[in-house]
Amino acid sequence: MVLCPVIGKLQHKHVVLASASPRRQEILSNAGLRFEVVPSRFKEKLHKASFATPYAYAVETAKQKALEVAGRMHQKDLRAPDVVIGADTIVAVGATILEKPVDKQDAYRMLSRLNGKEHSVFTGVAIVHCCSKDGRLDTEVSEFYEETTVTFSELSEELLWEYINSGEPMDKAGGYGIQALGGMLVENVHGDFLNVVGFPLNHFCKELARLYYPPRPEGLRRVKHDSIPAVDTFENLSDTEGGGSDPGPSAEGGRGGEEADGDRSQAPGALDAALNGAESRPPFPTGLLELMDGFKASKVLFTACKLKLFDVLKDQGPLKAVDVARKLDACAGGTEQLLDVCVALGLLEKTHRGYSNTAVTTLHLVSDAEHSLLGLAEYNDAHVWGVFTRLGLAVREGAGQARGALGVTEEEEHLSQSREMTLQFMRAMHSLSKLTAHHVATAFDLSRFTSACDLGGCTGILARELAREYPHLQVTVFDLPEVIELSGGFQRGGRQTERIRFVPGDFFKDNLPEADLYVLSRILQDWPDDRLHKLLSRISSGCKPALRKTTPVPDLLFRTKARARAESMRAVLQEVTVWPPPSWGPVSCSRDLFPGPVRPSTTAAPPLGSEPCKLRRAPPSGVPKRPFLFFFFFYLNLCILFLEYSCFTMLY
Ligand SMILES: Cc1cn([C@H]2C[C@H](O)[C@@H](COP(=O)(O)OP(=O)(O)OP(=O)(O)O)O2)c(=O)[nH]c1=O
């Protein structure tokens, strides 16, 4: 998503970043800019003393870096890119310029100079617009610099050496990286933080705005100039590609400037209104816009998964876009766009060597990764996506849409449930359960149970974790015959497997296997209330009578070994009421499950009735210690999920 429309002005240009700095690449790609990386070969050896100020040196170096790349590219193809961006970051203590340290001693010298004092970080930037005419390269350079002042704490020798030995200082001006470990050395920053990291994005956008949106006639000028989305530069948001001026030599006599002003003059009244209303403009609805566009990001992810993009990059990356396209047997342009969007979404990294997976992608989006979520992505794309496109119909008709999404009638539905679809569903559940099963199995102390039955236990991932965690527990996985038949393909050996058995059956029709603990994980949200009642009643009457008097475990995931009495069920539901995080506002069950159905409502949550869940151990890191919030982190695995419940019962 390009929030900044001036960056959009570069969208269809061939933009080159003449820098090997991964920080600059990240800052610019995060801003939505699409560019090629061609590191400059310009040697940073300008004579420092010949510059009146440190920033003049940084600006000149940035310019030379960009011009070197423009010249080299033009020489190679007799075609230069449209725009080349160069940058140079230096640290200045008074008039002394510090660049990257050459070795550890040099780093020590630099850091000692900065210790306990204030210094300036300057980044010089050059934006070079290029045009190749008759084999000749024409360039037009815009340049600027940004200053940020940084103050270091008083640091001990020991700490400085520890920092130097981390290796971080070596590729950074002044010998520190404020964005990482070096942040610990810094007491105060005044100015643009990104400028210290290597690229003053804010100033860059202003510069682009200055270049692409020349000032409008005096009377129309807005007073405030200093924030990025200033109206005098960005009010012309709706202009089509090519609107605004193109400052480069290719602009041929500055066509854009005149056009832009011409556009404005067409509707001076509207412009005046826009300008006058600017002061009372409401806050920018970022969250809302993200909701509006969220589906695009999902589709990008699904498409990349479907094309097996992450597998290709895992085995052969980093790769250039054309090579990825060849391997995927896809169009080069389209592939490059998909790759760049993946970079913007944080799914890929881009360097001058090409595209490669990020750590999260490697962990979760590669087919053979232990914790791959590819199955879930495929299922959501192939099935859930289609069903959710019919949400409007579901609301209007009050009827499930799964059949409609498949394009089958009720009679055909059973036939359409192909083996492949079942497998796809199982892969989705399997991949998700692999992530959550361990947390679920260890969240509560279940050591007093000897037998458990995981209803709808699918491939038995949770059963496995339960068996692994509780050496005396026998676990039955109960699921539909076709699921049990296919579940063999997901099994791996292990000592605990002899305590797991798979029983085929329909929990609405067949006898439930005996157990003193029933597990309903991601089950209840799939059914309408009447079926839910039926299922829970069956569990209730099937519980071992001998254990009825035992105190129930009031949690969401496990039905108790005792009879599922109304009170205990109520306690469970009251636990549910605290599931949504406080920021979601009060959401609770308005009715008890017995005898009425569960529905979310906006009434205040009732007080917890029964004893609270006993967490067996501290929740995994990142999970709050309070048990009820803990549920939030496992919401995908909970048996009653209000949101899913509402959507699923409506759509399926
Ligand atoms: C001060 C500071 C610098 N830096 C980095 C930014 C720059 O990458 C580097 C300064 O060196 P530069 O010469 O500006 O850039 P570079 O060599 O990394 O890349 P190129 O010359 O190809 O453009 O220091 C940080 O990452 N964090 C910091 O806190």
Side-chain angles (χ1 to χ4, degrees), residues 434-448:
K434 266 184 126 176
L435 277 187
T436 56
H438 175 73
H439 299 304
V440 172
T442 55
F444 306 96
D445 183 3
L446 303 173
S447 54
R448 55 201 157 130

Side-chain angles (χ1 to χ4, degrees), residues 17-25 38-42 44 61 65 85-91 99-100 119 121-124 150 163 168-169 171-180 182-183 186 193-199:
L17 175 63
S19 173
S21 164
R23 279 78 54 172
R24 288 188 187 122
Q25 292 164 26
V38 181
S40 180
R41 294 182 192 158
F42 175 75
E44 298 173 34
T61 307
K65 284 183 185 180
I85 301 164
D88 190 61
T89 302
I90 55 163
V91 163
E99 292 182 284
K100 286 172 283 192
H119 62 268
V121 180
F122 293 102
T123 299
V150 177
Y163 179 57
E168 191 177 280
D171 64 340
K172 300 185 181 73
Y176 72 96
I178 197 167
Q179 69 276 28
V186 171
F193 181 84
L194 292 182
N195 182 49
V196 185
V197 183
F199 200 81

Side-chain angles (χ1 to χ4, degrees), residues 398-526:
Q401 299 297 321
R403 264 179 238 128
L406 284 172
V408 294
T409 63
E410 194 173 350
E411 296 74 51
E412 290 164 347
E413 190 184 13
H414 183 67
L415 295 172
S416 71
Q417 293 286 344
S418 66
R419 196 180 156 89
E420 186 38 47
M421 272 179 70
T422 309
L423 261 177
Q424 201 168 50
F425 172 74
M426 289 174 73
R427 280 197 291 266
M429 293 304 109
H430 187 78
S431 61
L432 190 56
S433 299
K434 266 184 126 176
L435 277 187
T436 56
H438 175 73
H439 299 304
V440 172
T442 55
F444 306 96
D445 183 3
L446 303 173
S447 54
R448 55 201 157 130
F449 300 103
T450 55
S451 61
C453 175
D454 188 0
L455 294 166
C458 201
T459 61
I461 285 287
L462 181 57
R464 235 184 131 76
E465 280 301 326
L466 288 169
R468 196 198 319 264
E469 199 60 32
Y470 304 99
H472 303 296
L473 193 66
Q474 304 283 336
V475 193
T476 306
V477 177
F478 189 74
D479 214 318
L480 293 169
E482 56 270 31
V483 173
I484 297 291
E485 189 201 325
L486 292 170
S487 66
F490 293 84
Q491 304 312 319
R492 274 188 301 143
R495 265 188 302 132
Q496 61 282 6
T497 40
E498 58 218 42
R499 284 184 285 115
I500 301 173
R501 68 183 179 125
F502 286 79
V503 175
D506 180 338
F507 50 52
F508 286 114
K509 292 192 200 129
D510 300 318
N511 286 337
L512 301 180
E514 271 210 349
D516 54 15
L517 174 72
Y518 286 95
V519 180
L520 285 166
S521 179
R522 293 183 68 88
I523 295 292
L524 300 186
Q525 85 276 9
D526 270 350

